[in-house]
Amino acid sequence: QSALTQPASVSGSPGQSITISCTGTSSDVGGYNYVSWYQQHPGKAPKLMIYDVSGRPSGISNRFSGSKSGNTASLIISGLQAEDEADYYCSSYRRTNTVIFGGGTKLTVL
Amino acid sequence: QLQLQESGPGLVKPSETLSLTCTVSGASISTTNYFWGWTRQPPGKGLEWIATAYHGGSTYYSPSLESRVTISVDTSKNQFSLKLRSVTAADTAVYYCAKSLSTTFHPNWFDPWGQGVLVTVSS
């Protein structure tokens, strides 16, 4: 099954805001409000940052937010900090009861 | 708090079966609405979902791996397992176990994750 489409890389300066997009189809991103986002630092396990499009788990900074329009979901990171530099993956529920990940986006903090 | 720990051989020969176990601590694997899943990540590549299971018996598989994969839950040991048959070098990856939560039986997001275990397929 084809992965969700993410940009390979994005960058921003400290304090700025960046957006990472995640494009799917009506069978996944567009069809359900079940998009999640993960942060992964090198050598570490993924960490859930956003669930159900815009939900934020306990302990996750409110600098991280999510949204969706049609078949494209977005992760917005505001007030960029050096520690935000990592790989980010989107994920979506896809019918029926399967999960699909995006290819990942490398965020560089300049 | 809930923690997960993967265990299993780090080296598997081609054509053999990869077997991994995830031990859950801090919660019962039979908790209502808790689902349990496996995801893998080949070296230098992205995440690939493999399978998800519910203690009640429901199992869900990636279409691309479904013919070779079995996920199972052992409530007596508070563990769940993954078996991947007929492995090749393409199955070399870090394998992660994780918990999902869904009140609508649409498990999709995973939190928390285990630390992961590298499995290499090589003769």
Side-chain angles (χ1 to χ4, degrees), chain B:
Chain B
Q1 77 272 22
L2 192 152
Q3 293 183 314
L4 303 99
Q5 178 67 58
E6 305 89 350
S7 59
L11 181 64
V12 181
K13 289 183 168 57
S15 80
E16 295 191 344
T17 297
L18 179 161
S19 296
L20 295 174
T21 296
C22 182
T23 300
V24 178
S25 60
S28 171
I29 205 166
S30 300
T31 301
T32 300
N33 298 326
Y34 279 14
F35 292 76
W36 309 96
W38 290 95
T39 297
R40 69 181 182 179
Q41 184 172 36
K45 296 188 178 181
L47 300 169
E48 180 184 20
W49 172 73
I50 302 171
T52 300
Y54 190 64
H55 63 84
S58 300
T59 55
Y60 316 113
Y61 295 104
S62 166
S64 62
L65 296 169
E66 185 168 15
S67 63
R68 299 193 291 132
V69 172
T70 301
I71 186 173
S72 59
V73 175
D74 187 337
T75 56
S76 68
K77 296 181 179 179
N78 224 41
Q79 296 175 332
F80 62 104
S81 300
L82 175 75
K83 290 190 185 302
L84 179 62
R85 297 174 291 277
S86 304
V87 298
T88 69
D91 294 311
T92 294
V94 174
Y95 286 76
Y96 295 101
C97 62
K99 184 208 93 189
S100 186
L101 171 67
S102 176
T103 59
T104 61
F105 264 72
H106 293 95
N108 59 96
W109 51 263
F110 295 99
D111 179 59
W113 295 56
Q115 66 184 25
V117 59
L118 174 62
V119 179
T120 301
V121 178
S122 175
S123 56

Side-chain angles (χ1 to χ4, degrees), chain A residues 60-105:
Chain A
I60 300 301
S61 170
N62 59 10
R63 297 187 299 105
F64 292 84
S65 61
S67 65
K68 190 187 82 166
S69 177
N71 295 337
T72 299
S74 298
L75 173 70
I76 305 99
I77 308 176
S78 60
L80 209 55
Q81 298 179 0
E83 68 219 44
D84 299 332
E85 185 162 295
D87 293 327
Y88 290 84
Y89 293 90
C90 65
S91 172
S92 175
Y93 175 90
R94 173 182 279 186
R95 61 184 179 189
T96 51
N97 271 320
T98 61
V99 175
I100 188 79
F101 282 97
T105 298

Side-chain angles (χ1 to χ4, degrees), chain A residues 23-79:
Chain A
T23 301
T25 69
S26 59
S27 295
D28 38 66
V29 174
Y32 307 91
N33 288 323
Y34 294 138
V35 176
S36 53
W37 290 90
Y38 300 88
Q39 176 191 67
Q40 187 179 36
H41 287 109
K44 300 294 187 181
K47 177 182 179 181
L48 180 69
M49 306 302 284
I50 296 288
Y51 67 94
D52 293 352
V53 176
S54 58
R56 204 166 35 245
S58 175
I60 300 301
S61 170
N62 59 10
R63 297 187 299 105
F64 292 84
S65 61
S67 65
K68 190 187 82 166
S69 177
N71 295 337
T72 299
S74 298
L75 173 70
I76 305 99
I77 308 176
S78 60

Side-chain angles (χ1 to χ4, degrees), chain A residues 10-24:
Chain A
V10 298
S11 63
S13 299
Q16 288 186 331
S17 294
I18 64 96
T19 299
I20 300 174
S21 62
C22 171
T23 301

